[in-house]
Amino acid sequence: MGSNPIGHPISAYPALPHKWRPPARAAYATSGSAFSAICLSALEQVRLNAAGFLRSADPEFLHQLRVGLRRLRAALRAFRRVAPRRLSRRVRRRLKHAATSLGEARDWDVLCQWLASGKRPSTELEARRDAARRRARKAVRSPEFMRALADADALARGMTRDVPLMELAAHALDKSHRRVAKAARREPWDDAPARHALRIRVKRLRYCCDYFAPRYRASEGYVDSVKALQDVLGQLNDAAVARRLLAEAAHMPPAVRASLERREARLVRQLPRAWRAFEDLRPFWKAPR
C-alpha cells in the first residue's frame, strides 16, 4: 500500500473528488459520538482530496479539500461545549492557517474556469494559476499541514464532555442563526465587504444545519433556503474575487469587464429575494419535533 501526503495509508488517491458523507444516524447516540463521527468524516474528505490534489489537475480536488477543512472548523465551533477548549482552539487556528494557504489557488482556479467557459482564456492568468497551485501543493506537503490534521484526528478520537445532544444542537443552531441575522441587519446587498461577512456567517450556518438537521423533522425548507442564499452570496464573492485578480493582470479586456458587471448586477438583484425567502421561515429547531 502507498500513503497519502499526511501519513495515513491509502491504496491510491480517489478517481473522483471525495465529498463529505454525513454520519449514520447511529452516530448521534451522544453528543460525543456525533462530534467524533462528523470530524472523522470531514478528515476523510480532507485526506482523500489532498492526495488527489497532489496528483491531479482536476480543480475540484482542491475545492473539496478546502470544504473539508471548513467543515472541520465548523464542527469545532458547533461542538465547542463538548471538545477540550484549549486543544480545540489550537486545532482551529492551525486549520485556518492551512485553509488560508490554499485559498489563493482556489481563487485562480475559479477565475480561469469562468474565463474558459466564456472562451476567453488568458495565458498570463493561467500561468498565475499554475504558480498558485504549486504553492498550495507545497503547503499540503508541509509538516504544519500534517500536524494540523494529526491534532484534529486526536481531538476527534479523544475525550469529550457529556452534553445532551439536542440541547447542544439547539444552542449551536440558534447562535449561528442569530449571527446571520445580525450580519444582514443593515441589508448589505450593495456592499461587497459586508456581503462577504454575511456569506461567511451563512456558510457556517449551513454546516451547522448539516450536522444537526438529521435529528429534526421538517428541516428541509429551512436548509434549502440557507443553501440558496449561500449560493447567491458565493457567486457574488466569486465575482468580487475575479475583479480583484483581473486588476492585477496586465490588461482586462472591456468585454470581460462588462460581463463581470452584468453578472454582479444580476446576482445583486437576486440577493434580497433569497434573503426574504430565508427570513420568512421558522427555524426548524424551534418547531415541535
Side-chain angles (χ1 to χ4, degrees), residues 11 110 138 151 164 243 247:
S11 57
V110 171
K138 182 178 179 181
D151 283 350
R243 188 186 304 280

Side-chain angles (χ1 to χ4, degrees), residues 50-198:
F53 174 56
L54 291 179
R55 297 176 176 89
S56 170
D58 185 347
E60 188 66 13
F61 280 110
L62 175 59
H63 173 54
Q64 291 300 328
L65 165 57
R66 294 185 70 235
V67 170
L69 289 169
R70 288 199 300 266
R71 284 192 178 277
L72 268 174
R73 291 167 59 203
L76 293 176
R77 288 189 196 91
F79 287 86
R80 68 178 66 203
R81 298 169 66 194
V82 170
R85 187 165 299 177
R86 182 177 299 178
L87 178 57
S88 179
R89 283 200 298 263
R90 187 177 73 199
V91 171
R92 282 170 56 194
R93 283 196 303 270
R94 286 181 171 171
L95 292 173
K96 182 177 181 180
H97 178 75
T100 300
S101 66
L102 304 177
E104 180 192 11
R106 176 59 184 168
D107 289 344
W108 283 107
D109 275 348
V110 171
L111 174 60
C112 289
Q113 285 179 293
W114 176 68
L115 291 173
S117 70
K119 298 181 173 58
R120 295 185 294 264
S122 164
T123 302
E124 177 200 354
L125 298 182
E126 288 172 348
R128 292 191 179 211
R129 174 202 61 195
D130 293 344
R133 287 176 69 86
R134 286 193 294 273
R135 290 191 293 271
R137 288 192 173 104
K138 182 178 179 181
V140 169
R141 293 188 182 99
S142 71
E144 291 78 12
F145 186 79
M146 299 179 196
R147 194 177 304 118
L149 297 193
D151 283 350
D153 189 277
L155 186 58
R157 300 177 190 275
M159 296 294 293
T160 56
R161 288 187 288 272
D162 183 20
V163 178
L165 178 60
M166 300 315 292
E167 174 189 318
L168 177 74
H171 175 82
L173 287 161
D174 209 45
K175 184 174 183 178
S176 190
H177 178 92
R178 288 198 312 271
R179 288 185 169 180
V180 168
K182 182 178 180 180
R185 190 169 297 161
R186 296 184 180 180
E187 299 187 348
W189 319 138
D190 296 315
D191 183 339
R195 287 197 311 256
H196 176 67
L198 175 60

Side-chain angles (χ1 to χ4, degrees), residues 207-268:
Y207 293 146
C208 203
C209 288
D210 286 350
Y211 301 151
F212 296 119
R215 291 301 310 269
Y216 292 86
R217 296 178 182 175
S219 61
E220 292 83 0
Y222 180 93
V223 174
D224 287 345
S225 72
V226 172
K227 291 178 181 178
L229 182 58
Q230 181 187 358
D231 182 60
V232 176
L233 288 164
Q235 291 187 61
L236 277 165
N237 184 67
D238 289 345
V241 170
R243 188 186 304 280
R244 173 176 59 81
L245 295 180
L246 286 166
E248 300 175 9
H251 176 61
M252 188 194 307
V256 172
R257 186 188 301 276
S259 178
L260 258 180
E261 290 173 353
R262 288 194 300 271
R263 179 188 181 193
E264 196 166 17
R266 172 177 54 81
L267 290 164
V268 168

Side-chain angles (χ1 to χ4, degrees), residues 5 22 37 74 166 202 206 276:
M166 300 315 292
V202 171
R206 157 75 186 282
R276 287 194 296 270

